[in-house]
Amino acid sequence: MVTRRALLLLLLATLGGCDERAEGLRATEPTGGPIVVWDVEALPLPEIPLPNDQATRLDPTSPTGRRLNVSLRASTAYERETRAVFDTYDGFGTYAPIFVSFDRPLDLRAIERRFADDDFRDDPFYLLNVDPTCGRFGEEVALDMGRGRFPLVLFQRGDVIPDPEAPDGHLVGGRNLLFPLDPNGTSNNLVFTETDEDRDGDGELDPLEDLDFDGVLDRPNFIDPDACAALAIGTPAYDACVADNLLTWYERETDTLVLRPLWPLEQRCTYAVVLTDRLTGVDGAPVQSPFLGINPRDQTRALAPVGALLERYGLAVENVQFAWTFTTGSMTHDLEALRRGLYGD
């Protein structure tokens, strides 16, 4: 019996032979490096880089010509209602993080070295405004890659200051917290793993080691997972080590890059995320596209300006390993319309 997926692949292969843009900006050349995760059949939601125009649908009534296309299949009514609201949006956020996962680990030290300064010319990836209809067309958006603009550590034990007027009796880091503190607790971030669950060092998940009950043997989300191993949990020295070493731009468990723009993007515009051959795996091999081409085929036209924009960094399309686009939504349009109305328009 022919599966639906097999029929889809056959159809794409057939149409690909008739389309001169079937391979995107250029054909993918295998490198042996980490491959971008792109699984539209994953549940409960597709696993693709986000934000992404592949997660939208065309809508001529939308100001951007698009609407988000989030599945309404969910286990609770609350989640279904929330997703229905998402589907009314005409694009993605202008100040939201960008996520892209790989099937193998990246060379984190190399990324850290390239983002140690503010020089765009040696960066391994770029966030570019590729929309010729927008005022900031061609803009290169700076990304924070662990340089402290988006700290995730919420408190340190060494910073706990008694304050009888605070809700929990403490003032931490100069501001009140809305949740009680464990006086013997450590730094918390609510996002990335800090604790090494491999208590016996055998590299296997034992029943009593799974502290968060996720079925995965967690390792600290540091560039060097053993950076704080010699320090006692619950001490100021351990907390300081976590704050200094916590990776805020990469998740080791899923090999996911987290890119955070330093300033808001332009609303109602198309942006491109461009991964170059400077982005490599731990063995030095450049990352790879999951397709025959270096981008989703239906985004080729939107990505056309990428080649000219990369020239200012001494790069060309031949250096691109993967790229995709996303469209930002209407952020202040309603407020601007109201202001015009107040002035008689």
Side-chain angles (χ1 to χ4, degrees):
M1 179 178 180
V2 179
T3 65
R4 181 176 59 182
R5 185 172 185 272
L7 286 173
L8 176 60
L9 293 175
L10 178 62
L11 177 62
L12 291 175
T14 303
L15 294 177
C18 305
D19 188 346
E20 63 181 0
R21 296 180 294 109
E23 295 180 343
L25 294 177
R26 70 172 179 85
T28 296
E29 297 178 4
T31 65
I35 301 174
V36 172
V37 173
W38 192 292
D39 184 0
V40 296
E41 294 186 339
L43 295 174
L45 292 170
E47 295 179 4
I48 62 175
L50 286 173
N52 196 321
D53 280 341
Q54 289 281 310
T56 66
R57 58 184 173 84
L58 300 180
D59 182 354
T61 69
S62 163
T64 63
R66 294 181 180 273
R67 299 281 182 191
L68 299 196
N69 189 23
V70 182
S71 171
L72 299 181
R73 293 184 178 181
S75 56
T76 65
Y78 176 81
E79 188 174 0
R80 289 191 292 272
E81 292 169 1
T82 301
R83 293 187 184 190
V85 173
F86 288 161
D87 284 348
T88 67
Y89 294 170
D90 62 352
F92 296 94
T94 57
Y95 199 46
I98 299 164
F99 303 90
V100 53
S101 300
F102 299 85
D103 68 344
R104 276 165 285 164
L106 300 180
D107 186 343
L108 304 185
R109 291 291 188 185
I111 298 174
E112 186 181 43
R113 287 193 298 270
R114 290 188 178 276
F115 280 98
D117 54 41
D118 296 321
D119 191 344
F120 283 94
R121 292 172 296 179
D122 64 346
D123 288 356
F125 40 79
Y126 297 91
L127 176 58
L128 305 172
N129 185 323
V130 293
D131 196 328
T133 68
C134 292
R136 288 155 56 183
F137 169 63
E139 175 189 40
E140 52 196 10
V141 180
L143 301 168
D144 182 80
M145 302 300 293
R147 298 183 66 187
R149 296 178 179 88
F150 297 91
L152 291 181
V153 175
L154 300 182
F155 67 86
Q156 293 180 308
R157 184 184 176 206
D159 293 339
V160 176
I161 304 171
D163 181 1
E165 297 181 0
D168 58 1
H170 296 86
L171 184 70
V172 183
R175 56 191 176 87
N176 292 330
L177 292 177
L178 299 180
F179 52 86
L181 288 176
D182 174 3
N184 297 315
T186 60
S187 305
N188 285 270
N189 68 86
L190 304 181
V191 179
F192 296 114
T193 302
E194 300 170 6
T195 304
D196 189 351
E197 292 184 335
D198 191 14
R199 298 299 179 87
D200 56 8
D202 63 355
E204 298 181 359
L205 181 64
D206 300 320
L208 298 181
E209 292 180 334
D210 194 5
L211 301 180
D212 55 1
F213 306 104
D214 64 349
V216 178
L217 182 64
D218 295 329
R219 295 279 282 153
N221 205 70
F222 307 148
I223 287 187
D224 177 7
D226 297 319
C228 305
L231 302 173
I233 296 177
T235 63
Y238 177 85
D239 291 340
C241 183
V242 170
D244 291 339
N245 289 279
L246 185 67
L247 273 172
T248 60
W249 49 270
Y250 188 81
E251 185 188 43
R252 281 186 171 277
E253 186 171 313
T254 59
D255 294 310
T256 299
L257 268 177
V258 183
L259 317 180
R260 300 178 186 271
L262 292 194
W263 54 78
L265 312 183
E266 188 174 1
Q267 63 180 334
R268 296 184 175 182
C269 293
T270 301
Y271 281 79
V273 183
V274 181
L275 312 181
T276 75
D277 51 11
R278 297 168 178 171
L279 183 61
T280 65
V282 293
D283 60 354
V287 298
Q288 296 184 82
S289 166
F291 308 123
L292 294 177
I294 60 171
N295 60 273
R297 189 176 63 176
D298 62 352
Q299 296 179 4
T300 301
R301 182 173 300 176
L303 289 166
V306 163
L309 296 177
L310 288 178
E311 291 179 0
R312 56 195 175 191
Y313 315 117
L315 300 173
V317 171
E318 287 68 30
N319 298 106
V320 179
Q321 295 300 108
F322 187 66
W324 80 91
T325 64
F326 66 91
T327 301
T328 55
S330 300
M331 300 294 118
T332 62
H333 175 74
D334 290 350
L335 294 175
E336 294 168 6
L338 287 170
R339 184 185 184 282
R340 288 196 301 271
L342 291 172
Y343 285 85
D345 184 358

